């Protein structure tokens, strides 16, 4: 097996990012010009989504043409309208006889306390992110929907650390390619599943990361408003899947969040994972879902390791530097 760079290693997918670098918010857009079968699995208790009902296998439309991941809480759902306009201008969408209707499911995360709370992804930002979409390298960490993302909030926002955007992919000898992209804005701490190390989480008064479970046991309740977090992402493969199979892959992919985020799928999160199938090759749902969970876990780790600290929210790299500095002294 070979490790590749990001989700655009899956044929048929382009990625575009756009940010408000003053307001600390942004959006990430996936463009599938030829369409893709799509499923979804929502696990968090406070989701902000658009067009997810359409992805139910019982419903009519089989393919989507874009996916929009955005900050800005529910306000950020407006960015998907810009993606639709971009696709309409390119004549990409469901042919309805008198034109096309692009199908663009969307999910949002809550980043309003990080920068300017009045700065939110809008129609114009969504259009620009879609215009930026291409295959190949794109920045991770403080980018796109991860620009204002934070993690480790079980003890409140003032103890949180910087989250971000992450992506990874894997190719098997059979030619199966599975990729993932994720904006990590979790209430929980982030753990490296290979080592068990907590690489980002809630900080104590000395700036050291302290166990989320310890905070939760000691506090009567988590000092946050419900829905003020959320990890959102997409897994994709070059196999041929039905909508029900794609939804099963999305369900299995959530295990990647469970391996890296603790706690996950809380009442304060709206965790949502979409699943795309862009190709014609045959592969079992179990294999694709298993790899999707692994790749999504890698993407979460990439989001944290590539993030840069901002005012009030240090990165994992910042905390490690501080720890080593303290040991040297």
């Amino acid at each position: 097996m070979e490790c590749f760079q990001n989700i655009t290693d899956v044929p048929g997918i382009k990625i575009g990012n756009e940010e408000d670098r003053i307001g600390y918010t942004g959006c990430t857009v996936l463009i599938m010009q030829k369409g893709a079968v799509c499923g979804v699995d929502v696990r968090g208790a406070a989701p902000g989504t658009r067009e997810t009902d359409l992805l139910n296998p019982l419903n009519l439309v089989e393919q989507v043409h874009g996916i929009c991941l955005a900050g800005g809480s529910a306000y950020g759902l407006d960015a998907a309208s810009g993606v639709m306009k971009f696709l309409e201008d390119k004549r990409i969408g469901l042919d309805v006889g008198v034109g096309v209707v692009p199908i663009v499911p969307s999910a949002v995360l809550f980043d309003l306390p990080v920068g300017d709370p009045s700065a939110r992804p809008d129609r114009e930002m969504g259009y620009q992110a879609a215009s930026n979409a291409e295959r190949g390298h794109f920045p991770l960490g403080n980018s796109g929907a991860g620009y204002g993302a934070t993690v480790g909030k079980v003890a409140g926002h003032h103890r949180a650390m910087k989250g971000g955007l992450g992506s990874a992919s894997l190719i098997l000898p059979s030619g199966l390619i599975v990729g993932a992209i994720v904006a990590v804005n979790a209430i929980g701490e982030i753990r490296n599943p290979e080592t068990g190390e907590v690489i980002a989480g809630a900080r104590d008064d000395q700036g050291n990361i302290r166990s989320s479970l310890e905070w939760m046991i000691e506090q009567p309740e988590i000092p946050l408003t419900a829905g003020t977090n959320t990890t959102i992402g997409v897994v994709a493969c070059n196999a041929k899947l039905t909508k029900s199979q794609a939804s099963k892959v999305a369900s299995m992919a959530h295990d990647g969040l469970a391996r890296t985020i603790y706690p996950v799928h809380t009442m304060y999160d709206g965790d949502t994972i979409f699943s795309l199938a862009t190709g014609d090759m045959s592969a079992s749902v179990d294999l694709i879902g298993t790899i999707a969970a692994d790749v999504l876990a890698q993407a979460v780790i990439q989001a944290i390791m590539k993030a840069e600290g901002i005012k009030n929210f240090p990165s994992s790299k910042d905390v490690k530097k501080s720890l080593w500095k303290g040991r040297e002294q």
Side-chain angles (χ1 to χ4, degrees):
M1 294 186 295
E2 294 183 64
C3 290
F4 278 62
Q5 187 175 26
N6 61 52
I7 194 172
T8 67
D9 293 315
V10 178
I13 295 177
K14 296 181 179 180
I15 294 289
N17 289 311
E18 186 67 15
E19 304 91 20
D20 181 335
R21 295 178 178 270
I22 297 175
Y24 275 96
T25 192
C27 69
T28 295
V29 172
L30 292 81
I31 297 294
M32 290 74 68
Q33 290 180 305
K34 296 183 179 180
V37 173
C38 187
V40 69
D41 192 305
V42 181
R43 296 286 181 92
T49 58
R50 168 174 166 165
E51 294 278 40
T52 51
D53 282 351
L54 192 67
L55 304 181
N56 187 314
L58 296 176
N59 293 334
L60 178 65
V61 175
E62 288 294 326
Q63 293 193 323
V64 304
H65 309 96
I67 292 179
C68 184
L69 308 176
S73 189
Y75 295 107
L77 291 171
D78 188 38
S81 297
V83 182
M84 288 188 67
K85 175 59 177 170
F86 171 83
L87 290 168
E88 182 186 27
D89 289 347
K90 299 292 184 181
R91 304 295 296 169
I92 298 170
L94 177 67
D95 188 349
V96 293
V98 294
V100 297
V101 178
I103 307 300
V104 184
S106 179
V108 294
L109 56 80
F110 185 90
D111 57 7
L112 301 183
V114 177
D116 180 356
S118 66
R120 302 138 185 179
D122 56 14
R123 181 185 175 96
E124 289 73 25
M125 184 182 285
Y127 192 100
Q128 187 58 53
S131 300
N132 295 340
E134 58 185 6
R135 296 192 68 188
H137 173 77
F138 56 88
L140 302 179
N142 297 20
S143 184
Y147 199 74
T150 53
V151 299
K153 288 165 276 190
V154 295
H157 278 104
H158 66 291
R159 297 187 183 277
M161 292 176 60
K162 188 69 180 70
L165 184 73
S167 189
S169 63
L170 192 67
I171 185 168
L172 274 64
S174 64
L176 176 67
I177 304 172
V178 182
I181 189 167
V182 63
V184 185
N185 188 59
I187 189 175
E189 65 195 27
I190 310 300
R191 299 175 172 179
N192 185 328
E194 294 184 0
T195 65
E197 178 190 8
V198 177
I199 60 175
R203 296 167 294 133
D204 62 19
D205 292 339
Q206 287 71 48
N208 299 315
I209 300 173
R210 188 181 177 209
S211 164
S212 291
L213 183 58
E214 290 180 4
W215 286 111
M216 294 171 70
I217 290 172
E218 292 180 5
Q219 298 172 146
E221 60 183 25
I222 295 174
L224 293 174
T225 302
T228 52
N229 301 279
T230 298
T231 296
I232 51 179
V234 182
V235 295
C237 69
N238 63 336
K240 184 176 182 179
L241 299 176
T242 65
K243 283 202 314 186
S244 61
Q245 289 172 328
S247 293
K248 180 59 178 177
V249 169
S251 175
M252 294 178 70
H254 269 281
D255 288 352
L257 301 187
R259 293 170 193 165
T260 53
I261 302 172
Y262 182 84
V264 70
H265 305 147
T266 73
M267 296 298 291
Y268 298 85
D269 292 294
D271 303 325
T272 300
I273 299 298
F274 297 99
S275 172
L276 297 172
T278 67
D280 293 318
M281 75 171 297
S282 297
S284 75
V285 171
D286 290 333
L287 173 62
I288 297 169
T290 299
I291 299 298
D294 288 343
V295 173
L296 185 58
Q298 293 177 28
V300 170
I301 299 303
Q302 286 295 307
I304 302 306
M305 299 308 295
K306 297 290 186 180
E308 299 292 337
I310 60 176
K311 184 179 179 181
N312 298 324
F313 301 102
S315 69
S316 177
K317 291 179 287 189
D318 294 333
V319 171
K320 280 189 174 181
K321 287 178 183 177
S322 177
L323 177 62
W324 280 110
K325 186 176 179 180
R327 286 177 178 175
E328 289 172 356
Q329 293 174 348

